Amino acid sequence: MSTAAERLAAIRDEIASAPYGADATLVVVTKFHPASLVQELAAAGQRDMGESRHPEARDKAAELESLDLTWHYVGQLQRKKARQVARYAHVLHSIDSTAIVDALEGGEPGDELPVRDAFVQVNLTDDPGRGGVEPASLEALAERVEASPALRLLGVMAIAPLGEEPASAFARLATYADRVHRIAPTARWLSAGMSQDWHVALEHGATHLRIGTAITGERPTTP
Ligand SMILES: *Cc1c(COP(=O)(O)O)cnc(C)c1O
């Protein structure tokens, strides 16, 4: 049995030597895992941590505040919770509606949030219930984020759909990233790739890999 720190080192090496991997940012997704695991990864030099469930993420970020980690929120954002998430999450990967941008901007006087880095999430499935903006509305949302004083637009994020080859999904995603890049030239980052498909995501331009189980091991099941 390997430890999480050993798997982290192995994946880091794999990414560094993969085509297009040298400059990629590795975000280790630690949802469902205890703060102690995050601590173990931090002790092994990992700084970027991903979470997808509020308030679990909030509690971990608070408990580990002294480690000064960079927290990435990769889960679906709810309009009503968005401001709470943006208090502890430095990078928001899942902006998928203008209503969320409105919420992030709409604090009471004295309750301003720090400016946060943001990806616009695009839905690669035909199911509108999935997270992400539909491709037809991508430019409008990206323009809204780009113009927002609350956010700094980094680029586009997506999850490869089940039941489709990741290569075809990520090829489509690359065209969406280009569309956003055209209207926001500084938004050149692309958040894509998980434990099973990160190699393919890199080939299609991913700059931020969100890897969970390949490093953390299987997630503990919810009680
Ligand atoms: C859980 C999660 C990941 C990591 O998935 P693994 O398959 O465990 O690597 C990446 N992105 C998002 C949005 C997630 O929710």
Side-chain angles (χ1 to χ4, degrees):
M1 270 282 291
S2 56
T3 66
E6 287 164 356
R7 291 188 295 268
L8 170 66
I11 295 268
R12 271 209 193 123
D13 285 349
E14 249 190 278
I15 293 170
S17 55
Y20 314 106
D23 298 324
T25 297
L26 168 62
V27 177
V28 181
V29 181
T30 50
K31 65 186 180 222
F32 292 104
H33 287 283
S36 56
L37 180 88
V38 180
Q39 244 161 344
E40 182 187 342
L41 295 166
Q46 178 63 25
R47 309 301 306 163
D48 291 278
M49 305 298 180
E51 289 283 336
S52 65
R53 296 162 12 111
H54 179 81
E56 174 194 326
R58 175 197 64 201
D59 295 346
K60 265 183 247 179
E63 184 177 342
L64 302 173
E65 199 180 355
S66 65
L67 296 181
D68 223 5
L69 300 169
T70 299
W71 293 95
H72 297 249
Y73 195 82
V74 303
Q76 253 181 285
L77 275 169
Q78 291 168 23
R79 187 178 49 78
K80 285 189 178 147
K81 302 279 172 62
R83 290 186 65 78
Q84 295 175 43
V85 171
R87 263 187 252 288
Y88 59 83
H90 306 93
V91 189
L92 305 169
H93 286 241
S94 44
I95 304 285
D96 63 0
S97 72
T98 54
I100 288 174
V101 183
D102 292 342
L104 291 170
E105 290 172 350
E108 301 292 320
D111 183 34
E112 287 81 11
L113 293 164
V115 178
R116 294 309 194 188
D117 288 339
F119 289 94
V120 168
Q121 184 179 355
V122 59
N123 186 353
L124 298 180
T125 76
D126 296 327
D127 175 0
R130 294 281 163 164
V133 66
E134 57 173 305
S137 305
L138 178 60
E139 276 94 343
L141 179 57
E143 276 169 5
R144 178 74 181 82
V145 172
E146 174 77 344
S148 173
L151 297 167
R152 219 171 4 244
L153 179 64
L154 293 189
V156 175
M157 176 276 211
I159 300 169
L162 291 172
E164 179 181 356
E165 282 299 318
S168 93
F170 290 142
R172 202 156 71 252
L173 176 61
T175 68
Y176 301 146
D178 281 347
R179 278 162 48 179
V180 167
H181 197 201
R182 230 167 284 145
I183 57 171
T186 58
R188 62 180 184 277
W189 286 276
L190 178 57
S191 168
M194 315 193 343
S195 290
Q196 301 302 323
D197 56 20
W198 64 262
H199 294 89
V200 186
L202 274 182
E203 284 165 22
H204 291 89
T207 62
H208 287 62
L209 308 175
R210 309 179 310 266
I211 300 182
T213 46
I215 292 168
T216 62
E218 288 302 317
R219 287 182 269 278
T221 43
T222 27

